[in-house]
Amino acid sequence: MDGLTIVYTCLVLLAARSFSKWYFDPVCVALVFSGKANARSSILVQLRHIPAVGGPSIPLLFYLAAAKFARCPDGVLQEGYEKHHGSAFKVALPNRWLVVIAGLEGVEDIRRRPDSGLSISAGSNEQFQRELILGSDLHGIRWHVDVIKTTFTQDLPTILLELLDELPSAVQGNIPCAHEWTTLNVRSAVINMVAQVSNRAFGGLPLSRSRAYLDLAIRFTVSRMKNANVVKIMPRVLRPIAVRLLIKTRSALLEGTTYIEPIIRTRRAKMKRFGNDWRDRPNDLLQLYMEEATERRNTSDQTVAERLFLTNFASIHTSSMSLTNALQDLAVFPEHIAALRAEVEEVVTSEGWTKAAVDNMWKVDSFLRESQRLHTVARFALTRIALKDLTLIDGTFIPKGTFIAIATSPPHRDHRHYQSADVFNPFRFSRTREETGVVSAAQAFTHTSAKWLAFGHGKHACPGRFFAADELKALVAYIIVNYDIKADDSDDASSGPATSPASGGKDTANTSGKIMVRKRKSDSAALN
């Protein structure tokens, strides 16, 4: 038997085995091809009863479905949402199936289930490959998340003052101050602004003005998602080797700590010297992390520094994409700028640049929520891994090991939830407050529900969403009172947001988009 015959024979056997696995396997045929088949494959229940959207689910052809989902994910998810609303469907990822739940009852069902059944930690690890890329300590020990959820959020009225003080330097350092119309690369300017103002709240001065540190934080943020995607498509046995040889995220994390640890040592010396009498104690996230670490004991300065640097990922990644889309929306719909500007000028004149002023920017809040509704940043919410067999509220059986999530964009564009859902209406949510005079949390940008999933939903909703909302509102407010904005009318410009309201196109930030900006002349120094 010649070598070619042997190869063909092996391929036929592999195809036959994969077909058998597809017929009987509870999770997916992709396990066979990715080298992850294990004992759970012997459970004689299937995901075959869950309809596939985007292409066939049989062996080999499965990858056609994965390729289609990679090319047009939002179209596939919208199709599945409309066809299987009130139930579940599955889409093909390069390495496995993802079961997507469609409908309000299904979202609430997932939200209510305990971590012992549907694990957010395992789901996040599958999505971002945290344990392999960052290490078991950062993956498994998450006390810094509790700090963000509690003391950091509670201290926002004072912490936000630091961020607001950073606005002139961050904005004017990245948006030209010329009084003539100038072309601006939105994504590049925004990611630098967000990195600077975020780190003023995270680590204070001079860290937020260190160009080398900010560039490192941005590179870490951009590369982390790419690295996770690379790792996920590799056979499980090869992943540790790939992480060591190919992935530089961990080394960037360690480099980031070299900027932070000297600050920690200086602050610890002052904490020891002054104790509770330290009058100029910094109001930032690093200080809160340090105090939490002191209470926990046996927590090294490097551990604190790693967690602070890691916080950049969540802040820079999502906030920069949200602000990019918001500025592009302003450029496409400049007729709404006057109303937003009037609100900002009124509250800042009355309250100054304070947390109270930001809280009273209802129209800005509504504008950001509407922009996020139509240009979804996170494609999925409530990502979970089933730790045991379970049956959903609609009767769908979910076997142990299934990757499950909610698609965010389809419910945001559902006409059953939003009147004229395809129309960009920036004051959709603030108008209710104006008409009724009632301040409802349900209309706020930070609210979560089964029909508003930008920050997730339930007890595991984004812990930093209150900071993120305040940061975005402050940046938009400062920009619109200091700059005029319009669409770039050059022939090669792609100035609009990633999705114009009714286009049904891709719902992520247009990283190559450009707009036109011009510095305004203001009579009030308080607004500058």
Side-chain angles (χ1 to χ4, degrees):
M1 185 179 292
D2 59 29
L4 190 59
T5 303
I6 294 174
V7 171
Y8 283 146
T9 302
C10 290
L11 288 175
V12 170
L13 291 174
L14 179 60
R17 181 170 181 263
S18 64
F19 184 86
S20 175
K21 291 294 182 182
W22 166 73
Y23 193 85
F24 293 112
D25 195 345
V27 183
C28 67
V29 67
L31 293 174
V32 177
F33 287 99
S34 62
K36 295 189 294 182
N38 53 37
R40 65 185 178 179
S41 302
S42 64
I43 305 173
L44 297 181
V45 288
Q46 313 117 13
L47 280 184
R48 290 191 305 113
H49 64 287
I50 299 177
V53 176
S57 61
I58 61 176
L60 299 180
L61 295 181
F62 158 89
Y63 290 103
L64 296 178
K68 181 177 180 179
F69 184 69
R71 290 194 311 270
C72 186
D74 298 300
V76 172
L77 292 173
Q78 187 65 39
E79 177 187 350
Y81 182 83
E82 293 172 359
K83 285 184 177 179
H84 305 289
H85 189 269
S87 185
F89 60 96
K90 63 187 178 187
V91 296
L93 304 180
N95 64 320
R96 67 183 305 159
W97 287 108
L98 170 65
V99 174
V100 182
I101 308 304
L104 300 183
E105 288 189 353
V107 175
E108 294 296 345
D109 183 28
I110 300 302
R111 176 188 66 81
R112 287 190 294 263
R113 291 187 179 264
D115 293 342
S116 58
L118 288 175
S119 170
I120 184 174
S121 178
S124 179
N125 191 46
E126 173 65 25
Q127 189 173 12
F128 300 113
Q129 296 296 304
R130 282 195 320 226
E131 187 170 11
L132 270 176
I133 295 176
L134 300 177
S136 57
D137 180 60
L138 285 173
H139 166 62
I141 305 174
R142 308 279 290 168
W143 55 261
H144 58 290
V145 176
D146 294 330
V147 172
I148 293 173
K149 187 181 294 186
T150 55
T151 50
F152 181 66
T153 299
Q154 294 162 6
D155 289 353
L156 276 181
T158 54
I159 292 174
L160 194 65
L161 293 176
E162 299 293 322
L163 184 152
L164 294 169
D165 184 65
E166 193 72 12
L167 287 174
S169 172
V171 175
Q172 295 175 27
N174 290 284
I175 300 181
C177 292
H179 292 285
E180 299 80 30
W181 287 108
T182 306
T183 301
L184 179 71
N185 184 314
V186 186
R187 175 63 170 163
S188 176
V190 162
I191 199 168
N192 281 290
M193 286 189 291
V194 170
Q196 184 171 337
V197 297
S198 295
N199 277 283
R200 178 65 182 269
F202 294 165
L205 291 169
L207 192 65
S208 64
R209 303 284 175 89
S210 170
R211 190 66 259 166
Y213 176 78
L214 295 180
D215 286 344
L216 181 64
I218 292 169
R219 289 199 305 273
F220 173 81
T221 298
V222 172
S223 66
R224 190 180 164 201
M225 279 302 298
K226 294 180 180 178
N227 292 342
N229 290 333
V230 169
V231 171
K232 282 188 288 189
I233 64 175
M234 292 185 173
R236 188 174 296 273
V237 68
L238 296 180
R239 290 181 181 182
I241 300 173
V243 167
R244 286 196 297 269
L245 296 179
L246 304 176
I247 306 303
K248 305 300 182 184
T249 302
R250 182 67 186 173
S251 60
L253 177 64
L254 295 176
E255 185 181 350
T257 65
T258 63
Y259 291 87
I260 302 169
E261 287 187 64
I263 301 174
I264 294 176
R265 289 193 291 269
T266 299
R267 292 190 185 188
R268 286 212 185 280
K270 291 186 177 181
M271 291 169 68
K272 184 176 181 179
R273 179 181 178 185
F274 298 111
N276 294 331
D277 296 327
W278 186 11
R279 294 184 178 180
D280 58 345
R281 170 188 171 277
N283 292 313
D284 57 34
L285 183 60
L286 175 58
Q287 190 64 30
L288 297 177
Y289 280 175
M290 290 176 61
E291 292 170 4
E292 176 68 17
T294 299
E295 293 182 9
R296 287 176 171 271
R297 303 177 184 178
N298 299 321
T299 302
S300 68
D301 290 348
Q302 180 179 332
T303 297
V304 174
E306 286 178 342
R307 279 160 170 74
L308 186 77
F309 189 74
L310 182 60
T311 306
N312 277 287
F313 172 73
S315 178
I316 296 175
H317 176 64
T318 55
S319 294
S320 64
M321 294 181 75
S322 298
L323 184 58
T324 296
N325 279 331
L327 293 181
Q328 290 173 330
D329 278 329
L330 288 175
V332 174
F333 304 103
E335 64 271 21
H336 301 302
I337 294 178
L340 293 168
R341 185 178 288 154
E343 178 185 70
V344 174
E345 290 175 343
E346 179 181 354
V347 297
V348 171
T349 299
S350 174
E351 304 281 354
W353 286 102
T354 61
K355 177 73 164 65
V358 173
D359 287 345
N360 286 323
M361 295 177 187
W362 294 353
K363 288 182 178 177
V364 177
D365 188 279
S366 177
F367 161 73
L368 283 167
R369 178 168 174 176
E370 181 72 351
S371 179
Q372 188 90 297
R373 184 182 71 83
L374 287 171
H375 315 303
T376 305
V377 170
R379 184 159 283 120
F380 297 106
L382 285 77
T383 53
R384 305 285 193 268
I385 293 287
L387 300 185
K388 58 185 179 182
D389 295 347
L390 53 90
T391 301
L392 300 181
I393 193 170
D394 70 314
T396 300
F397 178 78
I398 300 295
K400 179 181 177 180
T402 302
F403 190 26
I404 192 170
I406 311 295
T408 53
S409 182
H412 289 176
R413 293 171 175 267
D414 194 328
H415 291 268
R416 287 164 291 197
H417 304 158
Y418 300 98
Q419 185 177 7
S420 302
D422 289 331
V423 176
F424 180 75
N425 180 358
F427 308 127
R428 180 187 300 271
F429 305 102
S430 60
R431 186 169 290 116
T432 302
R433 295 182 179 188
E434 294 170 356
E435 293 174 350
T436 64
V438 177
V439 178
S440 171
Q443 305 301 323
F445 185 29
T446 54
H447 177 68
T448 73
S449 72
K451 54 180 89 165
W452 175 240
L453 298 162
F455 294 107
H457 184 36
K459 66 178 181 179
H460 293 304
C462 174
R465 67 186 184 277
F466 298 100
F467 168 76
D470 284 348
E471 177 183 52
L472 290 170
K473 288 167 69 175
L475 280 163
V476 168
Y478 187 88
I479 291 169
I480 61 177
V481 297
N482 285 285
Y483 292 88
D484 292 317
I485 299 172
K486 69 176 184 177
D488 184 2
D489 54 5
S490 62
D491 292 339
D492 61 344
S494 179
S495 58
T499 308
S500 59
S503 71
K506 192 175 179 181
D507 284 344
T508 53
N510 179 5
T511 57
S512 62
K514 296 179 180 180
I515 63 173
M516 302 292 288
V517 295
R518 179 178 65 184
K519 187 73 169 65
R520 295 181 70 230
K521 295 179 180 179
S522 175
D523 296 330
S524 175
L527 296 174
N528 298 324

